[in-house]
PDB file of all heavy atoms in Angstrom:
ATOM      1  N   VAL S1455      99.999  90.329 132.885  1.00  0.00           N
ATOM      2  CA  VAL S1455      99.184  91.545 132.803  1.00  0.00           C
ATOM      3  C   VAL S1455      99.658  92.442 134.062  1.00  0.00           C
ATOM      4  O   VAL S1455      99.581  92.070 135.106  1.00  0.00           O
ATOM      5  CB  VAL S1455      97.745  91.374 133.018  1.00  0.00           C
ATOM      6  CG1 VAL S1455      96.963  92.585 132.964  1.00  0.00           C
ATOM      7  CG2 VAL S1455      97.153  90.341 131.924  1.00  0.00           C
ATOM      8  N   PRO S1456     100.289  93.484 133.746  1.00  0.00           N
ATOM      9  CA  PRO S1456     100.682  94.456 134.768  1.00  0.00           C
ATOM     10  C   PRO S1456      99.496  94.910 135.634  1.00  0.00           C
ATOM     11  O   PRO S1456      98.348  95.121 135.177  1.00  0.00           O
ATOM     12  CB  PRO S1456     101.177  95.744 134.023  1.00  0.00           C
ATOM     13  CG  PRO S1456     101.655  95.241 132.708  1.00  0.00           C
ATOM     14  CD  PRO S1456     100.461  94.168 132.343  1.00  0.00           C
ATOM     15  N   CYS S1457      99.717  95.071 136.968  1.00  0.00           N
ATOM     16  CA  CYS S1457      98.534  95.342 137.814  1.00  0.00           C
ATOM     17  C   CYS S1457      99.111  95.957 139.124  1.00  0.00           C
ATOM     18  O   CYS S1457     100.284  96.086 139.302  1.00  0.00           O
ATOM     19  CB  CYS S1457      97.771  93.991 138.192  1.00  0.00           C
ATOM     20  SG  CYS S1457      98.704  92.729 139.112  1.00  0.00           S
ATOM     21  N   VAL S1458      98.083  96.443 139.970  1.00  0.00           N
ATOM     22  CA  VAL S1458      98.358  96.988 141.258  1.00  0.00           C
ATOM     23  C   VAL S1458      97.699  96.116 142.253  1.00  0.00           C
ATOM     24  O   VAL S1458      96.445  95.945 142.193  1.00  0.00           O
ATOM     25  CB  VAL S1458      98.095  98.398 141.331  1.00  0.00           C
ATOM     26  CG1 VAL S1458      98.345  98.833 142.854  1.00  0.00           C
ATOM     27  CG2 VAL S1458      98.941  99.237 140.412  1.00  0.00           C
ATOM     28  N   LEU S1459      98.319  95.538 143.173  1.00  0.00           N
ATOM     29  CA  LEU S1459      97.634  94.907 144.337  1.00  0.00           C
ATOM     30  C   LEU S1459      97.360  95.748 145.482  1.00  0.00           C
ATOM     31  O   LEU S1459      98.163  96.564 145.910  1.00  0.00           O
ATOM     32  CB  LEU S1459      98.502  93.673 144.862  1.00  0.00           C
ATOM     33  CG  LEU S1459      98.878  92.468 143.910  1.00  0.00           C
ATOM     34  CD1 LEU S1459      99.678  91.479 144.560  1.00  0.00           C
ATOM     35  CD2 LEU S1459      97.705  91.944 143.025  1.00  0.00           C
ATOM     36  N   THR S1460      96.126  95.672 146.126  1.00  0.00           N
ATOM     37  CA  THR S1460      95.780  96.339 147.324  1.00  0.00           C
ATOM     38  C   THR S1460      95.431  95.326 148.276  1.00  0.00           C
ATOM     39  O   THR S1460      94.585  94.519 148.139  1.00  0.00           O
ATOM     40  CB  THR S1460      94.601  97.270 147.143  1.00  0.00           C
ATOM     41  OG1 THR S1460      94.946  98.224 146.023  1.00  0.00           O
ATOM     42  CG2 THR S1460      94.230  98.062 148.469  1.00  0.00           C
ATOM     43  N   LEU S1461      96.243  95.261 149.467  1.00  0.00           N
ATOM     44  CA  LEU S1461      96.082  94.257 150.436  1.00  0.00           C
ATOM     45  C   LEU S1461      95.086  94.671 151.473  1.00  0.00           C
ATOM     46  O   LEU S1461      95.063  95.783 152.031  1.00  0.00           O
ATOM     47  CB  LEU S1461      97.484  93.984 151.248  1.00  0.00           C
ATOM     48  CG  LEU S1461      97.494  92.933 152.201  1.00  0.00           C
ATOM     49  CD1 LEU S1461      97.278  91.608 151.679  1.00  0.00           C
ATOM     50  CD2 LEU S1461      98.904  93.006 152.996  1.00  0.00           C
ATOM     51  N   ASN S1462      94.098  93.715 151.770  1.00  0.00           N
ATOM     52  CA  ASN S1462      93.111  93.920 152.770  1.00  0.00           C
ATOM     53  C   ASN S1462      93.514  93.243 153.992  1.00  0.00           C
ATOM     54  O   ASN S1462      94.369  92.445 154.068  1.00  0.00           O
ATOM     55  CB  ASN S1462      91.835  93.200 152.208  1.00  0.00           C
ATOM     56  CG  ASN S1462      91.282  93.897 150.868  1.00  0.00           C
ATOM     57  OD1 ASN S1462      91.184  95.211 150.844  1.00  0.00           O
ATOM     58  ND2 ASN S1462      90.962  93.080 149.867  1.00  0.00           N
ATOM     59  N   GLN S1463      92.759  93.695 155.068  1.00  0.00           N
ATOM     60  CA  GLN S1463      93.118  93.156 156.432  1.00  0.00           C
ATOM     61  C   GLN S1463      92.964  91.626 156.575  1.00  0.00           C
ATOM     62  O   GLN S1463      93.680  91.091 157.312  1.00  0.00           O
ATOM     63  CB  GLN S1463      92.168  93.894 157.436  1.00  0.00           C
ATOM     64  CG  GLN S1463      92.496  93.576 158.890  1.00  0.00           C
ATOM     65  CD  GLN S1463      91.699  94.418 159.811  1.00  0.00           C
ATOM     66  OE1 GLN S1463      90.830  95.048 159.382  1.00  0.00           O
ATOM     67  NE2 GLN S1463      91.887  94.304 161.077  1.00  0.00           N
ATOM     68  N   ASP S1464      92.054  91.098 155.835  1.00  0.00           N
ATOM     69  CA  ASP S1464      91.784  89.678 155.884  1.00  0.00           C
ATOM     70  C   ASP S1464      92.727  88.795 155.030  1.00  0.00           C
ATOM     71  O   ASP S1464      92.512  87.600 154.943  1.00  0.00           O
ATOM     72  CB  ASP S1464      90.299  89.303 155.702  1.00  0.00           C
ATOM     73  CG  ASP S1464      89.917  89.717 154.245  1.00  0.00           C
ATOM     74  OD1 ASP S1464      90.808  90.329 153.564  1.00  0.00           O
ATOM     75  OD2 ASP S1464      88.818  89.564 153.934  1.00  0.00           O
ATOM     76  N   GLY S1465      93.632  89.504 154.349  1.00  0.00           N
ATOM     77  CA  GLY S1465      94.651  88.633 153.651  1.00  0.00           C
ATOM     78  C   GLY S1465      94.225  88.519 152.090  1.00  0.00           C
ATOM     79  O   GLY S1465      94.900  88.034 151.247  1.00  0.00           O
ATOM     80  N   THR S1466      92.991  89.046 151.794  1.00  0.00           N
ATOM     81  CA  THR S1466      92.597  88.908 150.392  1.00  0.00           C
ATOM     82  C   THR S1466      93.150  90.218 149.713  1.00  0.00           C
ATOM     83  O   THR S1466      93.778  91.182 150.317  1.00  0.00           O
ATOM     84  CB  THR S1466      91.038  89.106 150.354  1.00  0.00           C
ATOM     85  OG1 THR S1466      90.576  90.403 150.817  1.00  0.00           O
ATOM     86  CG2 THR S1466      90.353  88.079 151.177  1.00  0.00           C
ATOM     87  N   VAL S1467      93.178  90.214 148.395  1.00  0.00           N
ATOM     88  CA  VAL S1467      93.706  91.374 147.679  1.00  0.00           C
ATOM     89  C   VAL S1467      92.741  91.842 146.656  1.00  0.00           C
ATOM     90  O   VAL S1467      91.964  91.066 145.955  1.00  0.00           O
ATOM     91  CB  VAL S1467      95.093  91.067 147.028  1.00  0.00           C
ATOM     92  CG1 VAL S1467      96.075  90.832 148.041  1.00  0.00           C
ATOM     93  CG2 VAL S1467      94.875  89.989 146.043  1.00  0.00           C
ATOM     94  N   TRP S1468      92.708  93.175 146.343  1.00  0.00           N
ATOM     95  CA  TRP S1468      92.095  93.755 145.144  1.00  0.00           C
ATOM     96  C   TRP S1468      93.113  93.756 144.057  1.00  0.00           C
ATOM     97  O   TRP S1468      94.225  94.197 144.378  1.00  0.00           O
ATOM     98  CB  TRP S1468      91.447  95.138 145.448  1.00  0.00           C
ATOM     99  CG  TRP S1468      90.178  95.114 146.105  1.00  0.00           C
ATOM    100  CD1 TRP S1468      89.979  95.208 147.456  1.00  0.00           C
ATOM    101  CD2 TRP S1468      88.862  94.811 145.490  1.00  0.00           C
ATOM    102  NE1 TRP S1468      88.521  95.117 147.729  1.00  0.00           N
ATOM    103  CE2 TRP S1468      87.935  94.883 146.551  1.00  0.00           C
ATOM    104  CE3 TRP S1468      88.455  94.579 144.259  1.00  0.00           C
ATOM    105  CZ2 TRP S1468      86.595  94.699 146.336  1.00  0.00           C
ATOM    106  CZ3 TRP S1468      87.107  94.378 143.968  1.00  0.00           C
ATOM    107  CH2 TRP S1468      86.154  94.424 144.959  1.00  0.00           C
ATOM    108  N   VAL S1469      92.855  93.428 142.885  1.00  0.00           N
ATOM    109  CA  VAL S1469      93.746  93.456 141.725  1.00  0.00           C
ATOM    110  C   VAL S1469      93.228  94.406 140.672  1.00  0.00           C
ATOM    111  O   VAL S1469      92.155  94.224 140.164  1.00  0.00           O
ATOM    112  CB  VAL S1469      93.938  92.139 141.097  1.00  0.00           C
ATOM    113  CG1 VAL S1469      94.948  92.153 139.996  1.00  0.00           C
ATOM    114  CG2 VAL S1469      94.335  90.982 142.180  1.00  0.00           C
ATOM    115  N   THR S1470      93.926  95.537 140.550  1.00  0.00           N
ATOM    116  CA  THR S1470      93.591  96.534 139.577  1.00  0.00           C
ATOM    117  C   THR S1470      94.535  96.315 138.226  1.00  0.00           C
ATOM    118  O   THR S1470      95.749  96.597 138.376  1.00  0.00           O
ATOM    119  CB  THR S1470      93.631  97.886 140.000  1.00  0.00           C
ATOM    120  OG1 THR S1470      92.791  98.094 141.222  1.00  0.00           O
ATOM    121  CG2 THR S1470      93.174  98.922 138.987  1.00  0.00           C
ATOM    122  N   ALA S1471      93.970  95.848 137.174  1.00  0.00           N
ATOM    123  CA  ALA S1471      94.819  95.590 135.997  1.00  0.00           C
ATOM    124  C   ALA S1471      95.108  97.077 135.233  1.00  0.00           C
ATOM    125  O   ALA S1471      94.115  97.947 135.291  1.00  0.00           O
ATOM    126  CB  ALA S1471      94.074  94.674 135.025  1.00  0.00           C
ATOM    127  N   VAL S1472      96.295  97.230 134.831  1.00  0.00           N
ATOM    128  CA  VAL S1472      96.567  98.492 134.033  1.00  0.00           C
ATOM    129  C   VAL S1472      95.750  98.600 132.983  1.00  0.00           C
ATOM    130  O   VAL S1472      95.278  99.686 132.503  1.00  0.00           O
ATOM    131  CB  VAL S1472      98.100  98.414 133.656  1.00  0.00           C
ATOM    132  CG1 VAL S1472      98.427  99.731 132.823  1.00  0.00           C
ATOM    133  CG2 VAL S1472      98.965  98.503 135.004  1.00  0.00           C
ATOM    134  N   LYS S1473      95.392  97.536 132.193  1.00  0.00           N
ATOM    135  CA  LYS S1473      94.510  97.474 131.100  1.00  0.00           C
ATOM    136  C   LYS S1473      93.471  96.378 131.281  1.00  0.00           C
ATOM    137  O   LYS S1473      93.802  95.283 131.678  1.00  0.00           O
ATOM    138  CB  LYS S1473      95.274  97.282 129.773  1.00  0.00           C
ATOM    139  CG  LYS S1473      94.570  97.321 128.467  1.00  0.00           C
ATOM    140  CD  LYS S1473      95.470  97.204 127.294  1.00  0.00           C
ATOM    141  CE  LYS S1473      94.657  97.171 126.040  1.00  0.00           C
ATOM    142  NZ  LYS S1473      95.549  96.936 124.777  1.00  0.00           N
ATOM    143  N   ALA S1474      92.262  96.656 130.824  1.00  0.00           N
ATOM    144  CA  ALA S1474      91.158  95.617 131.064  1.00  0.00           C
ATOM    145  C   ALA S1474      91.455  94.462 130.262  1.00  0.00           C
ATOM    146  O   ALA S1474      92.074  94.404 129.208  1.00  0.00           O
ATOM    147  CB  ALA S1474      89.858  96.306 130.484  1.00  0.00           C
ATOM    148  N   VAL S1475      91.225  93.312 130.954  1.00  0.00           N
ATOM    149  CA  VAL S1475      91.526  91.916 130.327  1.00  0.00           C
ATOM    150  C   VAL S1475      90.191  91.234 129.949  1.00  0.00           C
ATOM    151  O   VAL S1475      89.203  91.399 130.734  1.00  0.00           O
ATOM    152  CB  VAL S1475      92.445  91.081 131.215  1.00  0.00           C
ATOM    153  CG1 VAL S1475      93.771  91.739 131.328  1.00  0.00           C
ATOM    154  CG2 VAL S1475      91.774  91.027 132.573  1.00  0.00           C
ATOM    155  N   ARG S1476      90.390  90.227 129.131  1.00  0.00           N
ATOM    156  CA  ARG S1476      89.149  89.562 128.600  1.00  0.00           C
ATOM    157  C   ARG S1476      88.879  88.288 129.421  1.00  0.00           C
ATOM    158  O   ARG S1476      89.701  87.587 129.761  1.00  0.00           O
ATOM    159  CB  ARG S1476      89.362  89.162 127.157  1.00  0.00           C
ATOM    160  CG  ARG S1476      88.054  88.509 126.497  1.00  0.00           C
ATOM    161  CD  ARG S1476      88.460  88.009 125.042  1.00  0.00           C
ATOM    162  NE  ARG S1476      87.240  87.442 124.366  1.00  0.00           N
ATOM    163  CZ  ARG S1476      86.869  86.314 124.486  1.00  0.00           C
ATOM    164  NH1 ARG S1476      87.530  85.492 125.261  1.00  0.00           N
ATOM    165  NH2 ARG S1476      85.615  85.799 123.938  1.00  0.00           N
ATOM    166  N   ALA S1477      87.557  88.144 129.678  1.00  0.00           N
ATOM    167  CA  ALA S1477      87.019  86.867 130.078  1.00  0.00           C
ATOM    168  C   ALA S1477      87.594  86.385 131.636  1.00  0.00           C
ATOM    169  O   ALA S1477      87.870  85.305 131.818  1.00  0.00           O
ATOM    170  CB  ALA S1477      87.163  85.692 129.223  1.00  0.00           C
ATOM    171  N   LEU S1478      87.657  87.433 132.495  1.00  0.00           N
ATOM    172  CA  LEU S1478      87.944  87.044 133.910  1.00  0.00           C
ATOM    173  C   LEU S1478      86.597  86.322 134.360  1.00  0.00           C
ATOM    174  O   LEU S1478      85.434  86.649 134.005  1.00  0.00           O
ATOM    175  CB  LEU S1478      88.112  88.396 134.708  1.00  0.00           C
ATOM    176  CG  LEU S1478      89.448  89.023 134.636  1.00  0.00           C
ATOM    177  CD1 LEU S1478      89.456  90.340 135.290  1.00  0.00           C
ATOM    178  CD2 LEU S1478      90.507  88.095 135.383  1.00  0.00           C
ATOM    179  N   ALA S1479      86.814  85.290 135.237  1.00  0.00           N
ATOM    180  CA  ALA S1479      85.658  84.633 135.675  1.00  0.00           C
ATOM    181  C   ALA S1479      85.901  84.224 137.137  1.00  0.00           C
ATOM    182  O   ALA S1479      87.011  83.915 137.582  1.00  0.00           O
ATOM    183  CB  ALA S1479      85.500  83.298 134.724  1.00  0.00           C
ATOM    184  N   LEU S1480      84.778  84.110 137.849  1.00  0.00           N
ATOM    185  CA  LEU S1480      84.777  83.695 139.231  1.00  0.00           C
ATOM    186  C   LEU S1480      85.345  82.251 139.300  1.00  0.00           C
ATOM    187  O   LEU S1480      84.922  81.436 138.508  1.00  0.00           O
ATOM    188  CB  LEU S1480      83.461  83.752 139.839  1.00  0.00           C
ATOM    189  CG  LEU S1480      82.658  85.188 139.774  1.00  0.00           C
ATOM    190  CD1 LEU S1480      81.331  85.068 140.398  1.00  0.00           C
ATOM    191  CD2 LEU S1480      83.497  86.145 140.693  1.00  0.00           C
ATOM    192  N   GLY S1481      86.187  81.981 140.285  1.00  0.00           N
ATOM    193  CA  GLY S1481      86.621  80.636 140.452  1.00  0.00           C
ATOM    194  C   GLY S1481      87.978  80.407 139.770  1.00  0.00           C
ATOM    195  O   GLY S1481      88.736  79.430 140.169  1.00  0.00           O
ATOM    196  N   GLN S1482      88.398  81.258 138.843  1.00  0.00           N
ATOM    197  CA  GLN S1482      89.674  81.119 138.311  1.00  0.00           C
ATOM    198  C   GLN S1482      90.678  81.544 139.324  1.00  0.00           C
ATOM    199  O   GLN S1482      90.385  82.203 140.373  1.00  0.00           O
ATOM    200  CB  GLN S1482      89.978  81.997 137.007  1.00  0.00           C
ATOM    201  CG  GLN S1482      89.083  81.502 135.830  1.00  0.00           C
ATOM    202  CD  GLN S1482      89.119  82.444 134.626  1.00  0.00           C
ATOM    203  OE1 GLN S1482      89.046  83.657 134.982  1.00  0.00           O
ATOM    204  NE2 GLN S1482      89.221  81.930 133.487  1.00  0.00           N
ATOM    205  N   PHE S1483      91.983  81.216 139.097  1.00  0.00           N
ATOM    206  CA  PHE S1483      93.048  81.626 140.031  1.00  0.00           C
ATOM    207  C   PHE S1483      93.920  82.704 139.470  1.00  0.00           C
ATOM    208  O   PHE S1483      94.509  82.451 138.388  1.00  0.00           O
ATOM    209  CB  PHE S1483      93.982  80.358 140.487  1.00  0.00           C
ATOM    210  CG  PHE S1483      93.158  79.486 141.596  1.00  0.00           C
ATOM    211  CD1 PHE S1483      92.239  78.666 141.191  1.00  0.00           C
ATOM    212  CD2 PHE S1483      93.488  79.642 142.851  1.00  0.00           C
ATOM    213  CE1 PHE S1483      91.588  77.840 142.064  1.00  0.00           C
ATOM    214  CE2 PHE S1483      92.910  78.828 143.788  1.00  0.00           C
ATOM    215  CZ  PHE S1483      91.983  77.931 143.479  1.00  0.00           C
ATOM    216  N   ALA S1484      94.031  83.862 140.092  1.00  0.00           N
ATOM    217  CA  ALA S1484      94.910  84.775 139.813  1.00  0.00           C
ATOM    218  C   ALA S1484      96.299  84.490 140.263  1.00  0.00           C
ATOM    219  O   ALA S1484      96.408  84.341 141.571  1.00  0.00           O
ATOM    220  CB  ALA S1484      94.527  86.257 140.256  1.00  0.00           C
TER     221      ALA S1484
END
């Protein structure tokens, strides 16, 4: 899935998908 990563100061990232994806769930690994 094409996406854009935004890096946070603590090393976490926000992931913005170009197109909405089905059934994202907490605890899965991106």
Side-chain angles (χ1 to χ4, degrees):
V1455 178
C1457 67
V1458 176
L1459 302 185
T1460 302
L1461 183 64
N1462 298 309
Q1463 186 176 4
D1464 59 0
T1466 66
V1467 297
W1468 281 98
V1469 183
T1470 305
V1472 172
K1473 183 178 180 180
V1475 292
R1476 184 183 184 277
L1478 284 168
L1480 300 176
Q1482 291 174 320
F1483 281 80

